[in-house]
Amino acid sequence: MPDSYKTIVKLSEGIYKEKGSKFLSFAIPATSVEEVKLILEEYRKRFYEARHVCYAYMLGAGRNEFRANDDGEPSGTAGRPILGQINSFELTNILVIVARYFGGILLGTGGLITAYKEAAKDALAQAEVLEKTVKIRFKIEFGYELMNDVLRIFKDFEPEIISTELQYTCRYEVDVPKAQADQFFKKTNSIFGVNITKTDDA
């Protein structure tokens, strides 16, 4: 998995017109399949008069979860060109939807591929792109008497503290940039009496 990835900050829109057909495009930040499903449901309701509502998404820092959907257009003419543009911009955690209003003239396979590609490209070109650091989440438990030792490591690595519970047993949940995660784990784990576990990528 890479140390960082590129995604978009907020919704951006685009449009492409060809022979009376209108292709309205939307690039939307999304981080899970569940979120994608909810957004698609909303857009299908909003564009219920559109002939097709096609889409593609890419999820995960490693860009390994993706899907393309033609929504009734000839196979490979809509979803795949949209996904191709997401790849071209090297983005992830993103859903791109293109709603087509049919203009009465058939565009043919080549025409459709161009239209969906250009519509997706227009929305992505308007997007504000952000590079994010991949972070690893750790849970740390230790007795209160070890607090100073743990805080010394925190001072060196400056992890993002997600949750804290300070009682007789202290518990922290922290995010550490992936590039520093191994070193952070080794140093923290070397303190006798400290229990550190990796929970997930943050």
Side-chain angles (χ1 to χ4, degrees):
M1 190 189 290
D3 292 341
S4 64
Y5 61 91
K6 288 195 292 185
T7 188
I8 61 169
V9 176
K10 58 185 180 196
L11 167 74
S12 63
E13 301 180 10
I15 189 168
Y16 181 79
K17 294 176 183 177
E18 181 68 21
K19 294 179 180 169
S21 277
K22 245 189 341 185
F23 298 81
L24 307 178
S25 54
F26 306 88
I28 308 150
T31 55
S32 68
V33 174
E34 291 70 29
E35 196 179 351
V36 164
K37 284 176 182 168
L38 289 171
I39 296 166
L40 282 169
E41 204 176 305
E42 180 197 327
Y43 273 73
R44 283 194 175 119
K45 281 179 193 162
R46 193 193 301 182
F47 295 103
Y48 69 94
E49 289 182 330
R51 175 70 69 93
H52 304 279
V53 178
C54 307
Y55 67 89
Y57 64 77
M58 178 77 70
L59 302 173
R63 305 180 76 245
N64 49 10
E65 192 172 2
F66 55 86
R67 190 170 173 208
N69 185 289
D70 296 314
D71 191 40
E73 290 281 31
S75 181
T77 61
R80 214 173 292 158
I82 297 169
L83 186 62
Q85 286 307 299
I86 294 173
N87 280 324
S88 188
F89 281 79
E90 298 178 331
L91 295 166
T92 191
N93 288 351
I94 186 170
L95 165 66
V96 177
I97 297 171
V98 180
R100 179 193 183 186
Y101 286 85
F102 186 54
I105 299 170
L106 295 171
L107 301 182
T109 302
L112 286 172
I113 289 170
T114 299
Y116 281 102
K117 175 188 162 187
E118 291 301 323
K121 186 178 177 182
D122 192 38
L124 292 170
Q126 318 298 324
E128 187 184 339
V129 174
L130 175 72
E131 187 155 354
K132 284 192 167 185
T133 303
V134 175
K135 293 182 179 177
I136 307 296
R137 185 161 292 180
F138 293 101
K139 274 187 179 166
I140 305 163
E141 288 187 1
F142 54 93
Y144 199 79
E145 71 283 359
L146 297 171
M147 177 65 82
N148 286 342
D149 296 332
V150 172
L151 290 184
R152 258 196 296 275
I153 291 172
F154 280 15
K155 196 178 173 197
D156 289 343
F157 287 89
E158 299 181 339
E160 184 186 343
I161 295 168
I162 306 302
S163 68
T164 313
E165 193 184 313
L166 302 178
Q167 291 173 355
Y168 180 70
T169 299
C170 302
R171 292 183 180 87
Y172 277 96
E173 205 170 8
V174 300
D175 285 350
V176 180
K178 179 177 171 282
Q180 299 176 318
D182 286 348
Q183 211 181 343
F184 177 81
F185 179 86
K186 278 177 194 161
K187 281 213 168 180
T188 309
N189 201 41
S190 70
I191 304 170
F192 183 74
V194 172
N195 179 27
I196 176 169
T197 52
K198 177 184 165 186
T199 62
D200 207 349
D201 300 330

